[in-house]
């Protein structure tokens, strides 16, 4: 017996977690009977559409397999818990609303702790999980109704270049994360209302085209705020909201505020 095969299953699963799940980790199932379903217990799953070959898996006659369909199959066969689930799709990926809902449901059912999603459209975003600790949404289009999000143990919420269907979606998301300690919001395009008493680390990159209001950030320790369109600060309609927001940051022990002026109009 080779040395690797003699290792305990948890160690082998940990090793497999460093391999691309779709093109390498799954392939180990052909090594021997013991390896056949071992990949289904990997606790860290990373799916990347940019590195996915649709013709890698096929049957005769040759037929491509969509990235989203392959993600469906892997998640359906997965056993045990999931610590980290990363699904990086892109603008060319075809994903149905049913598939997105199924991915979220599977992640929550397997007790995911760290969930990353990019380039997906949420007609109605629902996410309720007692185990989720970190959530990252990147370049997503999101609509969220009141009460649709309940993440009582979430500590880190990272929002990167998302688009929200209305002004209430972003506040509805943030309000469902009452225990969040790290909040990152970059390039948002809608009103941001902060009522997160547990937040300790706040990082915002804002183009100042929308209003930012902070009602309760009493636990704040660190804040890094960057206003991109510096020329808007001179607009008589904006200073009141900006200065009221900055005043709320006065309790922070570490405060960094940047104003970057974009040249050209």
């Amino acid at each position: 017996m080779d040395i690797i095969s003699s290792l305990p299953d948890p160690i082998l699963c940990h090793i497999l977690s460093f391999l691309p799940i779709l093109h390498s980790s799954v392939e180990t199932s052909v090594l021997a009977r013991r390896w056949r379903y071992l990949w289904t217990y990997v606790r860290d799953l990373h799916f990347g559409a940019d590195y996915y070959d649709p013709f890698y898996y096929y049957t005769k006659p040759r037929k491509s397999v969509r990235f989203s369909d392959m993600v469906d199959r892997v998640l359906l066969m997965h056993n045990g818990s999931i610590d980290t689930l990363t699904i990086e799709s892109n603008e060319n990926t075809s994903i149905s609303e049913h598939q997105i809902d199924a991915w979220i449901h599977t992640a929550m059912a397997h007790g995911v702790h760290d969930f990353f999603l990019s380039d997906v459209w949420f007609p109605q975003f629902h996410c309720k999980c007692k185990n989720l600790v970190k959530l990252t949404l990147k370049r997503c289009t999101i609509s969220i109704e009141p009460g649709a999000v309940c993440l009582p143990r979430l500590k880190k919420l990272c929002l990167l270049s998302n688009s929200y269907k209305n002004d209430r979606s972003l506040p509805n998301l943030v309000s469902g994360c009452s225990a969040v300690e790290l909040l990152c919001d970059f390039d948002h395009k809608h009103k941001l209302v902060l009522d997160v008493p547990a937040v300790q680390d706040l990082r915002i990159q804002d183009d100042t085209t929308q209003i930012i209001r902070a009602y309760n950030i009493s636990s704040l320790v660190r804040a890094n705020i960057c206003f991109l369109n510096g020329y808007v600060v001179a607009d008589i309609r904006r200073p009141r909201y900006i200065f009221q927001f900055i005043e709320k940051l006065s309790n922070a022990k570490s405060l960094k505020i940047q104003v970057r002026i974009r040249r050209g109009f």
Side-chain angles (χ1 to χ4, degrees):
M1 180 181 294
D2 62 275
I3 297 177
I4 293 181
S5 295
S6 65
L7 296 173
D9 285 357
I11 295 180
L12 292 178
C13 287
H14 182 66
I15 294 173
L16 290 179
S17 69
F18 291 97
L19 301 176
I21 184 65
L22 293 180
H23 289 169
S24 298
S25 185
V26 175
E27 286 184 339
T28 61
S29 61
V30 303
L31 295 178
R33 170 173 285 187
R34 183 192 174 195
W35 290 81
R36 186 174 183 183
Y37 297 109
L38 196 59
W39 66 270
T40 67
Y41 291 91
V42 173
R43 299 173 68 97
D44 298 317
L45 303 177
H46 184 176
F47 303 92
D50 290 340
Y51 308 101
Y52 177 69
D53 179 1
F55 288 98
Y56 197 86
Y57 301 96
Y58 66 91
T59 58
K60 296 180 179 180
R62 186 175 176 84
K63 183 180 179 181
S64 66
V65 179
R66 294 191 311 173
F67 170 77
S68 57
D69 292 338
M70 202 61 209
V71 173
D72 285 345
R73 297 180 189 182
V74 172
L75 292 180
L76 184 62
M77 296 182 66
H78 194 274
N79 296 298
S81 300
I82 298 177
D83 290 336
T84 302
L85 176 58
T86 300
I87 304 178
E88 293 186 275
S89 57
N90 55 41
E91 63 275 8
N92 298 318
T93 306
S94 177
I95 307 173
S96 69
E97 180 182 352
H98 172 74
Q99 286 177 310
I100 296 173
D101 289 340
W103 294 349
I104 295 176
H105 176 76
T106 300
M108 303 304 115
H110 286 271
V112 68
H113 294 159
D114 186 343
F115 195 16
F116 180 105
L117 274 171
S118 73
D119 295 282
V120 297
W121 175 54
F122 297 100
Q124 289 296 332
F125 182 75
H126 296 273
C127 189
K128 297 184 179 182
C129 179
K130 295 185 294 184
N131 298 314
L132 194 62
V133 176
K134 181 179 180 181
L135 174 63
T136 303
L137 300 174
K138 182 178 181 180
R139 295 192 302 270
C140 295
T141 302
I142 310 170
S143 177
I144 305 175
E145 296 298 324
V149 175
C150 182
L151 304 171
R153 296 183 181 177
L154 193 76
K155 298 299 182 182
K156 298 180 180 180
L157 176 62
C158 299
L159 307 171
L160 312 173
S161 303
N162 296 304
S163 176
Y164 302 92
K165 284 297 185 179
N166 53 60
D167 284 341
R168 290 303 308 161
S169 290
L170 181 54
N172 288 339
L173 171 58
V174 175
S175 65
C177 310
S178 57
V180 68
E181 296 178 357
L182 169 61
L183 174 59
C184 302
D185 182 28
F186 296 157
D187 295 335
H188 75 268
K189 302 299 180 184
H190 288 267
K191 180 170 65 176
L192 176 61
V193 178
L194 297 175
D195 189 2
V196 277
V199 71
Q200 298 179 17
D201 194 338
L202 181 64
R203 306 172 193 177
I204 295 177
Q205 181 173 289
D206 173 63
D207 62 7
T208 67
T209 59
Q210 297 295 333
I211 297 172
I212 303 179
R213 284 198 173 121
Y215 292 112
N216 189 351
I217 48 176
S218 55
S219 300
L220 193 65
V221 177
R222 295 172 297 277
N224 189 337
I225 314 298
C226 178
F227 296 112
L228 292 180
N229 292 340
Y231 61 84
V232 181
V233 176
D235 190 327
I236 61 174
R237 296 169 297 177
R238 312 311 300 176
R240 180 167 59 91
Y241 300 109
I242 295 174
F243 295 141
Q244 286 178 352
F245 171 65
I246 293 176
E247 185 179 1
K248 290 288 186 177
L249 305 176
S250 60
N251 291 332
K253 294 181 179 179
S254 175
L255 176 59
K256 182 178 181 179
I257 299 176
Q258 303 177 69
V259 178
R260 298 181 182 176
I261 299 177
R262 290 178 176 173
R263 296 182 179 180
F265 297 91

